[in-house]
Amino acid sequence: MEKSSLVILGCHSSIPTNKYHHTTAQILKMKGFYFLIDCGEGTQIQLRKAKIKFNKIIYIFISHLHGDHFFGLIGLLSTFHLLGREKSLTIFAPKGLKEIIEIHFKWSYTKLKYFIYYVELYSNKIEKIMDNKKIEIFSIPLKHRIYTNGFLFKEKLSERKLNINEINKIPSISIADFKNLKLGKDFEKNGKTIPNSKLTFDPPKILSYAFCSDTTYYIPIIDHIKYVDLLYHESTFLKKEENRAIKTGHSTTIHAANIAKKAKVKKLLLGHYSNRFPNIKEFEQEAKEVFYNTEASESIKKYFL
């Protein structure tokens, strides 16, 4: 299975201004799942550019109800319908999005061929919103002008891998023994014990990803995102525009870098750039003054966790 990765579809704020400046949307590939996080205008075009198959997407996460984070959603849902989609879809979003979508389809006389499950978010505390054998996902309340969540995605530990060369040396080993070995148990037979470590390999390291956009500089999120492998944190403004950032409920490069440093994350990805700053490398250079392992995210680029 491919290592977990993030594909940035759009990383600019407010409005799409040219063929390079697209509003927030990204695809997280983790443990075989394709998670769409936010869905700014033009997301379905960006998905095609990134060669991501629409039918792979069964979970969508919307951080908040400002247009640059969900205006592409109705178009994408309509395209799913026109392409004959039958597989159900689950959307995690603040209360209100369901009403917006259903009103649109009601007055366009559209009856979708597939079913949408809505998980409405409204808690002001961190909350586990999805949990299965492979992954767990949390909503993280942020501090913006309207109710907004970030999201934390965490892999679960896989089973141990069998060391076939060593196992083949053991006569009459059973399928049940294989299962126990994968679960970390030692092999025992006729009073003899072989340590699990000799018959198996460690599973792959578990990985984690945190998405934090949009938010002002907000210290409470640090405890929730500590040690994540990759943090995407908005940096709408350069440090010279700190007053504007505070006024609009956004962050600067230095704010994002300080969060990354305090949370001891492995890597920081910047994004949600204001269109008043055409050179995104300025964001990267500023943030590196505080947290060196920083990169300015770019559209249609893949980042491995």
Side-chain angles (χ1 to χ4, degrees), residues 2-219:
E2 183 184 356
K3 185 180 177 182
S4 293
S5 62
L6 182 74
V7 178
I8 298 294
L9 303 173
C11 51
H12 282 75
S13 66
S14 188
I15 56 175
T17 55
N18 57 46
K19 65 180 181 178
Y20 303 110
H21 292 185
H22 298 275
T23 49
T24 304
Q26 49 189 245
I27 287 281
L28 175 67
K29 300 179 185 179
M30 182 175 275
K31 291 286 189 177
F33 294 99
Y34 284 61
F35 300 114
L36 175 61
I37 307 169
D38 277 350
C39 191
E41 184 179 346
T43 291
Q44 59 180 308
I45 295 174
Q46 294 297 93
L47 284 167
R48 292 188 185 281
K49 287 181 182 177
K51 295 181 171 56
I52 294 170
K53 294 180 179 179
F54 289 2
N55 63 0
K56 293 280 189 181
I57 300 169
I58 57 175
Y59 297 103
I60 297 176
F61 298 81
I62 302 297
S63 61
H64 64 298
L65 298 185
H66 279 156
D68 56 335
H69 293 261
F70 83 97
F71 275 174
L73 185 56
I74 289 176
L76 182 62
L77 298 179
S78 298
T79 295
F80 287 167
H81 170 73
L82 293 172
L83 292 176
R85 182 188 180 112
E86 296 181 352
K87 187 186 301 181
S88 63
L89 184 73
T90 301
I91 300 177
F92 299 82
K95 186 174 183 179
L97 183 65
K98 178 181 178 181
E99 181 182 2
I100 292 169
I101 291 172
E102 290 185 342
I103 285 176
H104 172 88
F105 287 129
K106 174 184 176 180
W107 291 108
S108 65
Y109 296 92
T110 301
K111 185 172 177 58
L112 297 179
K113 297 182 179 74
Y114 60 95
F115 188 80
I116 300 177
Y117 296 93
Y118 293 93
V119 180
E120 294 190 331
L121 307 177
Y122 48 82
S123 177
N124 288 313
K125 297 180 180 179
I126 186 169
E127 186 174 40
K128 185 181 290 188
I129 57 176
M130 182 173 165
D131 191 356
N132 60 36
K133 292 181 179 179
K134 294 184 177 181
I135 194 167
E136 55 186 353
I137 304 171
F138 300 81
S139 61
I140 305 173
L142 302 177
K143 188 176 181 182
H144 191 40
R145 302 195 305 277
I146 63 173
Y147 178 73
T148 304
N149 280 296
F151 300 104
L152 172 63
F153 300 80
K154 297 175 69 176
E155 295 179 349
K156 289 187 175 179
L157 192 64
S158 302
E159 293 181 332
R160 298 184 66 80
K161 304 297 181 183
L162 298 177
N163 183 341
I164 300 301
N165 288 335
E166 291 297 321
I167 286 173
N168 285 340
K169 298 175 183 177
I170 303 173
S172 304
I173 190 167
S174 69
I175 293 176
D177 292 323
F178 290 164
K179 185 174 182 180
N180 287 331
L181 288 171
K182 288 180 179 180
L183 294 175
K185 297 179 181 179
D186 294 335
F187 175 76
E188 297 181 0
K189 193 169 185 178
N190 300 326
K192 181 180 180 181
T193 300
I194 302 178
N196 185 279
S197 58
K198 185 175 180 180
L199 301 176
T200 66
F201 300 110
D202 290 339
K205 176 186 176 296
I206 57 173
L207 300 171
S208 56
Y209 171 64
F211 169 86
C212 295
S213 182
D214 298 10
T215 185
T216 190
Y217 183 56
Y218 193 44
I219 293 294

